[in-house]
């Protein structure tokens, strides 16, 4: 069982370095949409919730899972939608105003 | 074979998430990033749903439908409410991690206690502590931002606060340690909820001493915690996809928090445990200084003569919903061939990047939104600096007054401009409660009133006068 530990730690450390490298380059203009985007992405915790909700487990366990699934899904939906809504507003010149739809 | 397929799918999803963030490096490609994120999430959800152990499909469909029902309206909030929406989504992320961790513990306890290895237990307890404290902490932050009645707006402090918080946290860690060492002991299932209670309480206590001006940092820190709780869940479930996505979120929150702290010249610990609100009272009562105030007509005349105007927006612009009026002013000035730039301080507003989004909403091209360091170079050339609802981020005391709580904080050097107009709702000091030297400078004229109304009058003056050329 402890065999699982090392590969997952590797993934965590490497992913953190990728994260730091990529995020540092994100335009400062976009820090608000960045936050809502990473929010939606980390709501991928939804996969854990799906396994708990959908498994053949006692009712109380599945209820906990379903609430978690609902919360994650709300984050995914609102996170991606609001990120896109905000990004549509960033334009280079005033003439293209309103063409974002 | 099936295992290989699902692993390929998860690797693809992870790669898509990394691309999603990579494309955020410029507004030109940023929307592609959203599509990559949606694609990655969809792949991961479909593949997980197809796992043979997943059989209660109606439950999943129901929960997903509810998620859409709440998520869609949450994505339509006005942009001034984006900070509280963000805090709320951190709360959702936290509670999801906490609940999955709780479910996993009790499930494994009854169906296969040997699964609860010390490593998994440490990860699981980290998941629930981070998850639940992020939940209540973010709810408090959202409540403060939304100005909900029963959530105190002003920082709540009391003697020994840090001691109480530290004691609470230490007991949660102690409890976590003994449960992780004996996950199957007869008392463990009863001690486990106690950790949850401690984490929930700690989240509340962590946020109540924090004031509005510190919100950008706090939101970024909570963002990081939400990501780390997903990482911990990944360790528990041995899901490298979760670890990757959580690590991306965690490092994003961390970087944003560092940027915010640098922009306020403060440390993490100082933001979380410093109780900013108390320090300043002594400073205010001092000598009575005189403001000079100006009428919109007078200000409009000066603006008309300028060739370079810098507008410095702050949270007051958001509160007054003045961004669209600011856009009209921008148009009026541009029409006269005046160069107009917006100076954006990293902590202006209530979350990272808040001002940029509001100004973009008002159709102001992002090429005219300039970061603090770049605009400070040009500030001495500015004919007019127009401060719209910003206060501490333009306070020269940060450079000159060693006793000021904001001493050392980088500011937008509005005081270098030839003429300064500051729009301010009232004569009270700003959110941090500190007197602003800028307002008493001999080149500063105050325009008192609601930001939206004052700018509206400026626009009226300028558009009325434009026919006389």
């Amino acid at each position: 069982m402890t065999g699982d530990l090392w590969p997952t730690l590797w993934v965590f450390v490497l992913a953190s370095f990728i994260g730091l490298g990529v995020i540092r380059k994100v335009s400062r203009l976009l820090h608000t949409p960045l936050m809502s985007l990473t929010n939606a992405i980390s709501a991928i915790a939804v996969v854990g919730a799906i396994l708990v909700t959908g498994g053949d487990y006692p009712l109380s366990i599945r209820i906990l899972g379903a609430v978690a699934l609902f919360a994650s899904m709300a984050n995914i939906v609102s996170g991606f939608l609001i990120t896109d809504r905000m990004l549509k507003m960033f334009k280079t010149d005033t003439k293209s105003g309103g063409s974002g739809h | 074979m099936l295992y290989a397929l699902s692993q390929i799918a998860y690797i693809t999803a992870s790669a898509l998430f990394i691309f999603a963030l990579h494309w955020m490096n410029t507004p030109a490609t940023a929307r592609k990033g959203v599509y990559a994120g949606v694609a990655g999430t969809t792949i991961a959800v479909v593949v997980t749903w197809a796992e043979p152990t997943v059989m209660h499909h109606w439950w999943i469909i129901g929960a997903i439908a509810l998620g859409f029902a709440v998520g869609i309206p949450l994505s339509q909030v006005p942009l001034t409410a984006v900070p509280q929406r963000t805090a709320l989504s951190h709360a959702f992320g936290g509670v999801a991690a906490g609940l999955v961790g709780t479910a996993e513990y009790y499930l494994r306890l009854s169906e296969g206690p040997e699964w609860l290895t010390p490593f998994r237990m440490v990860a699981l307890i980290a998941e629930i502590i981070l998850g639940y404290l992020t939940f209540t902490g973010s709810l408090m932050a959202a409540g403060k931002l939304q100005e909900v009645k029963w959530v105190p707006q002003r920082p709540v402090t009391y003697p020994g606060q840090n001691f109480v918080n530290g004691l609470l946290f230490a007991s949660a860690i102690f409890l976590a340690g003994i449960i992780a060492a004996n996950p199957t002991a007869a008392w463990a299932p009863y001690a486990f909820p106690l950790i949850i209670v401690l984490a929930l309480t700690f989240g509340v206590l962590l946020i109540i001493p924090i004031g509005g001006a510190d919100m950008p940092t706090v939101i970024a820190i909570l963002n990081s915690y939400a990501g780390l709780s997903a990482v911990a869940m990944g360790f528990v479930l041995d899901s490298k996809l979760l670890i990757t996505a959580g690590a991306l979120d965690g490092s994003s929150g961390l970087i944003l928090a560092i940027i915010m702290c640098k922009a306020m010249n403060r440390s993490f610990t100082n933001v979380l445990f410093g109780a900013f609100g108390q320090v300043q009272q002594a400073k205010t009562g001092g000598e009575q200084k005189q403001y000079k105030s100006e009428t919109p007509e007078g200000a409009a005349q000066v603006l008309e003569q300028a060739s370079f105007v810098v507008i410095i927006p702050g949270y007051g612009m958001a509160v007054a919903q003045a961004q669209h009026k600011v856009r009209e002013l921008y148009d009026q000035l541009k029409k006269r061939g005046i160069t107009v730039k917006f100076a954006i301080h990293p902590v202006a507003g209530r979350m990272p990047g808040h001002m940029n989004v509001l100004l973009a909403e008002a159709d102001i091209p992002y090429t005219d939104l300039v970061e603090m360091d770049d605009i400070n170079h040009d500030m001495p050339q500015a004919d007019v600096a127009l401060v719209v609802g910003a206060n501490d981020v333009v306070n020269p005391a940060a450079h000159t007054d060693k006793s000021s709580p904001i001493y050392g904080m980088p500011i937008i050097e509005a005081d270098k401009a030839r003429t300064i107009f500051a729009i301010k709702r009232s004569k009270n000091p700003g959110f941090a409660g500190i007197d602003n030297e800028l307002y008493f400078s001999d080149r500063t004229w105050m325009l008192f009133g609601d930001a939206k109304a004052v700018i509206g009058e400026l626009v009226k003056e300028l558009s009325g006068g434009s026919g006389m050329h």
Side-chain angles (χ1 to χ4, degrees):
Chain A
M1 267 307 144
T2 44
D4 303 354
L5 167 63
W6 300 111
T8 45
L9 271 181
W10 269 93
V11 172
F12 173 56
V13 171
L14 293 182
S16 298
F17 275 108
I18 293 176
L20 293 173
V22 172
I23 304 286
R24 251 208 301 261
K25 293 209 182 83
V26 169
S27 163
R28 287 207 176 191
L29 292 167
L30 301 182
H31 277 168
T32 297
L34 168 71
M35 214 176 240
S36 53
L37 183 66
T38 53
N39 233 275
I41 286 177
S42 76
I44 197 63
V46 74
V47 299
I50 289 177
L51 293 176
V52 173
T53 312
D56 198 13
Y57 302 134
L59 186 66
S60 55
I61 299 286
R62 282 195 283 128
I63 290 176
L64 291 181
V67 176
L69 177 50
F70 151 74
S72 306
M73 207 59 212
N75 265 2
I76 291 175
V77 172
S78 73
F80 283 128
L81 283 178
I82 201 167
T83 307
D84 196 50
R85 189 177 142 221
M86 288 191 278
L87 290 176
K88 271 195 289 207
M89 295 168 180
F90 282 87
K91 300 181 196 93
T92 40
D93 62 83
T94 52
K95 284 172 204 84
S96 66
S99 66
H101 293 279
Chain B
M1 184 55 198
L2 261 177
Y3 178 76
L5 274 182
S6 68
Q7 289 303 303
I8 290 172
Y10 290 143
I11 292 172
T12 311
S14 302
L16 282 168
F17 290 157
I18 293 168
F19 271 111
L21 297 181
H22 168 69
W23 278 323
M24 292 292 279
N25 64 11
T26 143
T29 56
R31 287 187 72 194
K32 253 202 300 190
V34 178
Y35 305 140
V38 172
T41 304
T42 311
I43 291 174
V45 166
V46 168
V47 170
T48 307
W49 200 339
E51 292 271 337
T53 59
V54 175
M55 37 216 308
H56 294 277
H57 297 292
W58 283 110
W59 280 64
I60 294 175
I61 291 170
I64 289 181
L66 268 181
F68 269 88
V70 169
I72 291 174
L74 265 183
S75 72
Q76 300 304 319
V77 297
L79 289 186
T80 42
V82 164
Q84 44 272 47
R85 190 219 71 96
T86 306
L88 200 60
S89 69
H90 295 152
F92 278 23
V95 77
L99 290 174
V100 170
T102 311
E104 285 284 342
Y105 174 70
Y106 286 103
L107 179 65
R108 302 297 174 169
L109 199 62
S110 59
E111 301 201 345
E114 70 284 348
W115 187 85
L116 297 169
T117 60
F119 167 65
R120 284 220 177 96
M121 277 312 290
V122 169
L124 199 148
I125 291 177
E127 176 189 344
I128 62 156
I129 291 183
L130 281 169
Y132 286 119
L133 88 81
T134 307
F135 174 56
T136 48
S138 300
L139 281 185
M140 289 296 293
K144 282 194 178 211
L145 289 163
Q146 181 69 36
E147 299 181 5
V148 175
K149 247 185 265 148
W150 44 268
V151 179
Q153 300 303 307
R154 285 275 159 189
V156 177
T157 55
Y158 53 87
Q161 187 163 32
N162 289 337
F163 177 75
V164 170
N165 288 358
L167 193 69
L168 200 69
F169 192 69
S171 32
I173 296 295
F174 174 73
L175 203 58
I178 55 172
I179 293 181
N182 315 281
T184 53
W187 46 264
Y190 304 100
F192 194 85
L194 201 57
I195 298 190
I196 299 178
V197 172
L198 286 174
L200 290 170
T201 316
F202 187 67
V204 174
L205 295 183
L206 197 62
I207 302 305
I208 53 167
I210 288 169
D214 285 338
M215 275 303 165
T217 320
V218 169
I219 289 192
I221 292 175
L222 289 170
N223 184 3
S224 196
Y225 287 173
L228 290 177
S229 65
V231 171
M233 194 200 285
F235 280 123
V236 174
L237 302 175
D238 192 22
S239 162
K240 297 178 180 70
L241 171 67
L242 261 178
I243 294 174
T244 308
L248 294 175
D249 192 27
S251 47
S252 169
L254 183 69
I255 287 188
L256 293 176
I258 290 172
I259 293 174
M260 296 301 114
C261 280
K262 273 195 188 146
M264 296 195 298
N265 189 38
R266 300 174 60 204
S267 66
F268 268 16
T269 42
N270 186 254
V271 172
L272 282 178
F273 305 110
F276 200 42
Q278 322 176 291
V279 203
Q280 311 72 34
Q281 262 106 33
K283 191 81 179 65
T284 39
E287 77 253 62
Q288 206 60 40
K289 289 179 201 152
Q290 282 305 307
Y291 293 112
K292 298 190 297 302
S293 62
E294 178 59 284
T295 58
E297 299 84 59
Q301 278 167 13
V302 176
L303 281 169
E304 235 172 354
Q305 303 302 319
S307 58
F308 179 28
V309 174
V310 177
I311 301 178
I312 304 157
Y315 185 58
M317 182 187 80
V319 173
Q321 301 271 8
Q323 64 270 30
H324 297 284
K325 282 286 169 209
V326 167
R327 160 64 199 249
E328 288 176 33
L329 178 66
Y330 170 88
D331 285 342
Q332 283 296 333
L333 295 173
K334 278 278 187 189
K335 218 164 70 182
R336 290 170 166 75
I338 300 169
T339 307
V340 186
K341 296 286 178 196
F342 290 84
I344 311 291
H345 194 284
V347 295
R350 285 292 178 268
M351 72 179 290
H354 195 185
M355 290 298 122
N356 297 313
V357 170
L358 292 178
L359 293 169
E361 183 198 21
D363 268 333
I364 287 161
Y366 63 77
T367 40
D368 283 340
L369 310 180
V370 188
E371 277 176 38
M372 172 171 64
D373 294 341
D374 298 331
I375 200 75
N376 276 346
H377 279 289
D378 300 335
M379 222 58 211
Q381 276 85 54
D383 299 305
V384 178
L386 177 63
V387 182
V388 185
N391 190 359
D392 297 332
V393 299
V394 292
N395 190 344
H399 284 332
T400 55
D401 180 4
K402 283 208 166 100
S403 68
S404 168
I406 61 166
Y407 181 71
M409 168 174 150
I411 57 162
I412 292 174
E413 292 162 355
D415 52 321
K416 301 268 167 70
R418 265 172 223 129
T419 306
I420 302 115
F421 291 119
I423 301 177
K424 206 167 173 310
R425 202 162 27 166
S426 71
K427 299 187 182 186
N428 299 327
F431 210 101
I434 309 160
D435 255 346
N436 194 335
E437 289 297 320
L438 179 69
Y439 302 154
F440 307 110
S441 150
D442 49 2
R443 283 172 296 139
T444 303
W445 278 267
M446 304 300 293
L447 301 165
F448 285 110
D450 172 73
K452 192 173 173 180
V454 171
I455 293 180
E457 284 182 53
L458 285 176
V459 170
K460 208 160 70 190
E461 290 296 327
L462 287 169
S463 55
S466 65
M468 312 213 295
H469 283 276

